[in-house]
Amino acid sequence: MPFVGRENSYMKFTISRDALLKPLNLVAGVVERRQTLPILANVLMVLEGDRLALTGTDLEVELLGRVQLPAAGDSGEVTVPARKLVDICKSLPEGSDIEFTAQDSKVTVKSGRSRFTLATLPAREFPNVEDSMGTHQFTIKQGQLKRLIDRTAFAMAQQDVRYYLNGMLWEIKGKQMRVVATDGHRLALCTLPGKVEASDDTQVILPRKGVLELARLLLEDEADIAIVIGSNHIRATTNDFTFTSKLVDGKFPDYQRVLPRAPDKIVLGSRLEMRQAFTRAAILSNEKYRGVRLKLTKNSLDIVANNPEQEEAEEAVAVDYQGDSLEVGFNVSYLLDVLGVLSGEQVKLSLSDPNSSALLEESNAGDSLYVVMPMRL
């Protein structure tokens, strides 16, 4: 091997275990356990004076964490196995200091009487998620973004062949930001109450993994997060992290068409009572299809579940309902998912007929809407 990049292969610094562990954990979370390229199992460490940057990527999503060191070290860059480094740091005692030395394709990690030598790969081989020009930029509070994601992420598809459903739609329309997720059976929608200062309207789809990794970074509700949306990437920056994700190239379904048109049967009930009744009924529902029958009569909601063993569960919940009687089937897991993210004492359930979707929301005007398709039972 010729001496390539030798000037950069020496690096040395000291950091406290606790200061390193939090960003390292988050960055390593992006790294896939099964990789096609060996270097994707590594985290890139770049030291410039007293600033350390850690980067992990799976080529779809990239996360860069920044750490301030107590004193400047010898600058350089190196990549080390992410999992092993996390496990070493976790197993060291709290409050301990760690001394890193990188030299000749090895990194030595020393702390107290412990010493570990890890194999490295050249930093120059570490892939960079290419940058696209940002077309839309805005800043919101981390807590606001966290709410948008927490309220909708459960409805994303997991491995649907309609790949655009394995993610979340972010829409900016007339300075209003809205996120939507659907797996074709249910839909979740949450709208940011305030305005965002974005230039013009746009719609992009974030991949499922990007959504989940971004949510893990939103640790300080009142702190800002700056979002830049490009043609095929999205970038989110906080004080400590820069997160980049590729966007899903596809057309998200027109969610407006899925929202039930003027449902006339309106049910108001206790969110907690409904959730508990559905949870109990679910025990005897068909394990595969999870169907339950809802029977609505004046001021009463009956929930009935059956399974192939001929077992049956029946629940009656007192509700506020004045309309005609109605019987309709639903997947109980979908209803429970919604009741799990809604807040407030009361939930509002709007229906029209046995073949139409149900609309669920908070009884007083909230920022979220949920649609659940009916089941034939």
Side-chain angles (χ1 to χ4, degrees):
M1 268 297 280
F3 292 116
V4 183
R6 286 284 302 179
E7 72 284 350
N8 218 357
S9 65
Y10 182 75
M11 172 171 116
K12 185 170 182 174
F13 65 92
T14 302
I15 187 172
S16 78
R17 166 201 181 266
D18 308 345
L20 179 63
L21 197 53
K22 182 177 129 183
L24 179 62
N25 241 336
L26 287 164
V27 167
V30 173
V31 176
E32 288 290 345
R33 288 183 185 265
R34 297 187 298 278
Q35 304 81 15
T36 42
L37 296 167
I39 198 150
L40 291 181
N42 283 15
V43 52
L44 171 68
M45 304 176 83
V46 178
L47 178 67
E48 289 178 11
D50 60 354
R51 288 205 310 276
L52 175 69
L54 306 165
T55 307
T57 183
D58 67 352
L59 299 181
E60 292 280 310
V61 171
E62 176 191 272
L63 181 58
L64 181 151
R66 289 177 288 277
V67 193
Q68 183 73 36
L69 301 185
D74 296 332
S75 300
E77 52 183 30
V78 67
T79 80
V80 290
R83 269 294 122 221
K84 290 173 189 166
L85 185 58
V86 168
D87 291 344
I88 288 169
C89 292
K90 275 188 180 162
S91 63
L92 289 169
E94 275 184 42
S96 54
D97 281 340
I98 305 176
E99 184 186 283
F100 281 83
T101 313
Q103 198 167 9
D104 303 334
S105 74
K106 291 272 191 282
V107 159
T108 308
V109 180
K110 287 203 300 207
S111 182
R113 294 184 171 183
S114 309
R115 179 190 166 113
F116 307 87
T117 307
L118 292 169
T120 68
L121 288 168
R124 64 177 178 276
E125 289 175 17
F126 195 81
N128 204 346
V129 175
E130 68 271 31
D131 240 356
S132 56
M133 285 293 292
T135 47
H136 297 75
Q137 306 185 357
F138 58 93
T139 298
I140 62 175
K141 296 272 180 250
Q142 291 184 31
Q144 293 178 309
L145 184 57
K146 185 165 169 50
R147 180 177 172 89
L148 291 175
I149 293 175
D150 287 350
R151 287 239 151 180
T152 54
F154 69 87
M156 293 188 289
Q158 297 225 21
Q159 284 169 327
D160 203 295
V161 291
R162 298 164 294 179
Y163 57 95
Y164 48 83
L165 296 184
N166 305 320
M168 181 183 284
L169 177 76
W170 284 24
E171 177 185 76
I172 293 171
K173 203 171 177 180
K175 297 203 185 302
Q176 189 96 65
M177 179 173 176
R178 172 175 285 176
V179 303
V180 186
T182 178
D183 61 5
H185 304 287
R186 59 298 206 21
L187 177 141
L189 174 157
C190 186
T191 309
L192 189 70
K195 294 260 186 276
V196 295
E197 288 306 318
S199 44
D200 49 352
D201 297 353
T202 187
Q203 266 199 352
V204 293
I205 306 171
L206 265 70
R208 180 184 174 83
K209 178 170 179 181
V211 171
L212 300 178
E213 289 301 331
L214 178 56
R216 293 173 55 202
L217 303 180
L218 305 172
L219 303 170
E220 300 175 52
D221 282 359
E222 286 309 310
D224 283 346
I225 183 161
I227 310 278
V228 178
I229 297 174
S231 49
N232 41 14
H233 287 86
I234 185 164
R235 175 160 284 176
T237 308
T238 68
N239 280 337
D240 301 325
F241 294 99
T242 299
F243 165 88
T244 311
S245 170
K246 285 187 175 174
L247 294 170
V248 177
D249 182 17
K251 183 95 180 75
F252 202 80
D254 178 4
Y255 65 87
Q256 296 283 1
R257 288 181 46 201
V258 180
L259 303 178
R261 294 274 161 261
D264 55 348
K265 299 180 171 59
I266 311 295
V267 184
L268 289 174
S270 154
R271 181 179 64 89
L272 204 58
E273 282 177 23
M274 276 195 192
R275 191 177 171 186
Q276 289 167 346
F278 281 127
T279 301
R280 290 190 295 264
I283 297 167
L284 297 187
S285 67
N286 180 323
E287 281 174 26
K288 190 172 172 198
Y289 301 111
R290 308 283 289 162
V292 294
R293 279 202 306 285
L294 273 56
K295 299 177 180 179
L296 259 186
T297 50
K298 186 175 175 180
N299 289 339
S300 177
L301 170 65
D302 291 343
I303 305 161
V304 181
N306 302 84
N307 62 27
E309 291 81 48
Q310 310 292 313
E311 297 166 331
E312 185 174 76
E314 283 185 55
E315 290 280 342
V317 182
V319 292
D320 183 355
Y321 176 68
Q322 303 301 324
D324 299 339
S325 56
L326 172 71
E327 190 169 329
V328 56
F330 289 106
N331 177 322
V332 69
S333 301
Y334 295 166
L335 296 174
L336 283 170
D337 281 345
V338 174
L339 293 171
V341 294
L342 284 173
S343 54
E345 299 273 308
Q346 285 220 312
V347 60
K348 179 175 165 188
L349 172 67
S350 308
L351 301 152
S352 41
D353 61 63
N355 303 315
S356 300
S357 298
L359 186 66
L360 289 97
E361 57 198 305
E362 269 126 347
S363 57
N364 40 9
D367 56 5
S368 314
L369 282 179
Y370 300 92
V371 180
V372 180
M373 303 265 289
M375 263 178 100
R376 293 193 192 286
L377 291 176

